[in-house]
Amino acid sequence: MIPYAPREWRPEERPMMPGSPSTPAHPPHLRLAYGIVGCLIAVTGGMSNALVTAYQQYLQGALGAYSAEIAWLPAAYVMTNVSMNLLLVKFRQEFGLRLFTEIFLVLYALVAFGHLFVNDLSSALAVRAAHGMTGAALSSLGMYYTMQAFPGAHRIRGLALALGMSSLALPLARILPFELLSFAEWRGLYLFEMGLSLICLGCVLLLKLPPGDQYKVYEKLDFLTFILFAPGMALLCGVLSLGRTLWWFETPWLGWALAGAIVLLTAALIIEHLRRNPLINVGWWGSSNMIRLAMLVVMVRFGLSEQSTTGAVGLMQAMGLSLEQMHPMFMAMLLGTLAGVVTSALTLQREHLSAPIIIALAMIMVGALMDAHASNLTRPYEMETSQFLLAFGGALFLAPAMLQELGAVRTEPRNLVSFSVLFSISQNMGGLFGSALLGTFQTWREKFHSSHIVEHLSALEPQVAARLQQGAAAYRRVITDPALDNAQGANALAAAATREANVLAYNDVFMLVAAIAAATLAFLLAQALHKRLTRASQ
């Protein structure tokens, strides 16, 4: 068959969009197989970055890197992942899904195999960057497989299931057996990742996607846009990832990188604005609906940063708890995400897409408010309910937010690349922006609270003097010098003051997350009320 010749499809088989597979009526056993393979691919695609994020502090020791250096590992993944849809969407449209599937899964497995030969930070960064490029293909591939498991009337439920399954990767990575992953200088982590990729490769070779239409879509200017846009986004990701660690105003290269990102991204968008057939529809990006979608995704990703090292996990680590001791909290996150995915898939309706978004924001707000009353005695089991609510809300939100604007893409297929890139940028950059802002806010508030606490620490105060004596008494068995003994007591009191300042700072972070979720919720409710009043007046 001629690759670009039009095919004749029955109405129920017609591909949803250019580059997507056709949707023939599969027997039940085949639908089940497509669903299992789709969920496996979606989880595998998210697991690559999730494993590094979850065990970043342990990889730091294995690679002999400083904290500022190891922060480049997750950054390298996002730097390449965020822009790949600029080319991948058209690759599916021009060369077909089957070739797309096999090429990128083979590359994904090869990159995972390359992890086994990582011996230093530079090689690890190169492999992570390559994984970001191949990982971008797996997210859409998992979505296409999962949607094949559902009949036409319920296909959007497959979309909700696939989007949610990729969110399972991080909580799942955090509860994996630590001993299984840590042997041979963390080769176990890489072997596990490679095993998942090989299982996915075997599954897609045995169970292929139905064919779709192919189009001649690539243009020379597409690659010029990519050459400008991708490094611009990479520089911006680098700034957001490293700014809090190196501090924003103390590292000159952060300013130069930000300036370079602005120049490159502006040049790419100007080229696209002037093109007859743009890769990115800049005008469509600037429409009110697209701005609203991007803001919603960024705000929710911002709220979900509360579950990262700048939120609940960071609070527990500040109090000296290890990842193994946080397993009850991670299990609550996993169950919350899973419950949110199942609820979204069962209840999703095209006519009522705003309701789950409002419920999700309300749950994020309530979960953050519950965490805002932590103390130095708070432990992971006490945060299970709040983290369950946050995870549930994040999983419930994603599919309806995407579907709200997907209908406009179906009527204007030329905007598919623009939509895919915008959604990817909102997801990735929203997470980075949330972590950067919350981390910076936490550092600032810790210094604020620390200064207030230290102001009231005077050796003339009886309670302070008693604490100094208690701290010194713990060292009298091993230190005979009274001066050193008293110095250790002062150090112990200073450590306690720092711990209290950190707890208060994290409480401020949780309140900020709740306030942002509340503001976004109020905006959506006001918008819904305005629409209802407008309809009533007509």
Side-chain angles (χ1 to χ4, degrees):
M1 179 178 290
I2 300 173
Y4 305 112
R7 296 172 182 257
E8 294 294 331
W9 303 105
R10 292 197 295 271
E12 68 276 9
E13 293 182 350
R14 190 176 302 280
M16 183 181 296
M17 292 180 186
S20 63
S22 55
T23 53
H26 300 296
H29 72 279
L30 204 56
R31 289 194 184 279
L32 178 62
Y34 273 117
I36 293 173
V37 173
C39 291
L40 179 62
I41 292 173
V43 171
T44 301
M47 187 64 72
S48 173
N49 197 42
L51 286 170
V52 172
T53 302
Y55 295 101
Q56 182 175 325
Q57 60 179 330
Y58 300 104
L59 287 170
Q60 179 180 344
L63 296 172
Y66 293 104
S67 58
E69 293 174 331
I70 202 66
W72 279 106
L73 272 186
Y77 181 92
V78 178
M79 287 166 76
T80 54
N81 182 272
V82 69
S83 303
M84 282 307 295
N85 278 323
L86 278 173
L87 297 181
L88 290 183
V89 173
K90 284 197 171 184
F91 186 97
R92 296 196 299 266
Q93 294 174 353
E94 183 152 334
F95 299 105
L97 265 169
R98 289 186 177 178
L99 184 62
F100 168 84
T101 300
E102 293 165 8
I103 285 178
F104 282 95
L105 264 174
V106 168
L107 287 175
Y108 191 88
L110 289 174
V111 172
F113 179 70
H115 270 99
L116 298 177
F117 302 96
V118 167
N119 297 312
D120 55 21
L121 183 63
S122 59
S123 57
L125 288 174
V127 173
R128 295 309 303 160
H131 235 153
M133 290 187 286
T134 55
L138 265 67
S139 57
S140 55
L141 189 60
M143 181 179 66
Y144 289 138
Y145 266 93
T146 309
M147 290 176 71
Q148 293 292 320
F150 292 82
H154 302 287
R155 198 151 289 136
I156 61 171
R157 305 190 190 281
L159 176 64
L161 190 62
L163 288 172
M165 281 297 162
S166 61
S167 304
L168 282 175
L170 185 56
L172 189 60
R174 282 172 167 162
I175 63 170
L176 288 173
F178 183 81
E179 296 79 8
L180 176 67
L181 301 176
S182 61
F183 73 87
E185 294 184 349
W186 294 91
R187 295 299 193 280
L189 185 150
Y190 306 138
L191 282 170
F192 178 76
E193 192 175 357
M194 187 180 72
L196 279 178
S197 62
L198 290 175
I199 292 172
C200 289
L201 179 59
C203 288
V204 301
L205 291 176
L206 289 173
L207 184 66
K208 297 183 181 295
L209 284 170
D213 288 321
Q214 290 178 238
Y215 305 87
K216 196 76 173 174
V217 290
Y218 274 125
E219 298 180 11
K220 292 180 180 179
L221 282 177
D222 293 343
F223 299 97
L224 176 60
T225 297
F226 182 79
I227 290 171
L228 294 171
F229 192 86
M233 291 303 302
L235 289 172
L236 188 56
C237 289
V239 171
L240 290 176
S241 299
L242 276 295
R244 181 172 65 96
T245 304
L246 300 175
W247 204 246
W248 308 98
F249 306 112
E250 296 180 4
T251 308
W253 73 259
L254 289 173
W256 289 110
L258 184 59
I262 293 173
V263 171
L264 290 169
L265 293 175
T266 302
L269 294 179
I270 288 174
I271 289 173
E272 289 301 294
H273 183 67
L274 297 176
R275 286 179 62 180
R276 180 175 298 176
N277 297 311
L279 188 65
I280 300 173
N281 191 337
V282 179
W284 191 64
W285 268 15
S287 65
S288 59
N289 287 340
M290 289 300 103
I291 293 174
R292 175 181 174 274
L293 171 66
M295 287 178 60
L296 276 177
V297 175
V298 168
M299 288 300 100
V300 171
R301 292 296 298 170
F302 183 96
L304 295 180
S305 297
E306 204 261 61
Q307 296 186 317
S308 70
T309 54
T310 55
V313 177
L315 174 62
M316 294 294 106
Q317 288 177 335
M319 290 189 285
L321 275 70
S322 65
L323 291 180
E324 292 86 351
Q325 294 171 303
M326 296 183 226
H327 272 195
M329 187 173 70
F330 294 150
M331 184 60 71
M333 292 179 187
L334 178 63
L335 293 176
T337 304
L338 189 60
V341 171
V342 173
T343 303
S344 180
L346 292 177
T347 61
L348 195 63
Q349 297 179 7
R350 293 185 185 275
E351 300 81 15
H352 305 286
L353 293 176
S354 296
I357 295 176
I358 291 172
I359 294 171
L361 285 167
M363 297 182 80
I364 291 173
M365 180 186 68
V366 172
L369 283 174
M370 291 175 66
D371 286 343
H373 300 87
S375 70
N376 61 5
L377 298 177
T378 301
R379 291 299 178 260
Y381 69 88
E382 298 176 76
M383 304 184 79
E384 290 176 5
T385 303
S386 61
Q387 295 305 304
F388 180 92
L389 291 174
L390 284 160
F392 188 99
L396 185 66
F397 162 85
L398 202 55
M402 187 176 187
L403 282 170
Q404 275 194 334
E405 307 305 332
L406 203 56
V409 179
R410 293 187 67 179
T411 58
E412 288 287 340
R414 67 190 182 93
N415 290 328
L416 178 59
V417 177
S418 303
F419 178 80
S420 300
V421 173
L422 179 64
F423 200 78
S424 175
I425 290 174
S426 302
Q427 281 275 83
N428 286 288
M429 301 303 288
L432 288 180
F433 177 73
S435 295
L437 185 57
L438 290 184
T440 302
F441 183 74
Q442 190 275 332
T443 302
W444 171 55
R445 295 301 293 174
E446 188 274 330
K447 301 303 180 188
F448 173 81
H449 290 298
S450 183
S451 66
H452 277 264
I453 292 173
V454 170
E455 281 180 5
H456 298 87
L457 292 181
S458 171
L460 300 177
E461 291 285 340
Q463 290 183 342
V464 175
R467 283 295 297 267
L468 288 171
Q469 289 300 319
Q470 290 174 3
Y475 297 93
R476 281 175 187 158
R477 292 182 180 180
V478 293
I479 298 177
T480 57
D481 187 339
L484 290 176
D485 195 32
N486 292 331
Q488 290 297 329
N491 289 338
L493 183 59
T498 301
R499 184 185 65 240
E500 293 300 325
N502 270 304
V503 171
L504 293 172
Y506 277 109
N507 285 341
D508 292 342
V509 167
F510 301 145
M511 286 298 296
L512 176 63
V513 170
I516 291 175
T520 309
L521 179 61
F523 170 76
L524 290 180
L525 290 174
Q527 191 178 52
L529 179 62
H530 175 71
K531 286 182 179 179
R532 179 169 293 186
L533 292 175
T534 303
R535 288 198 201 102
S537 64
Q538 292 174 352

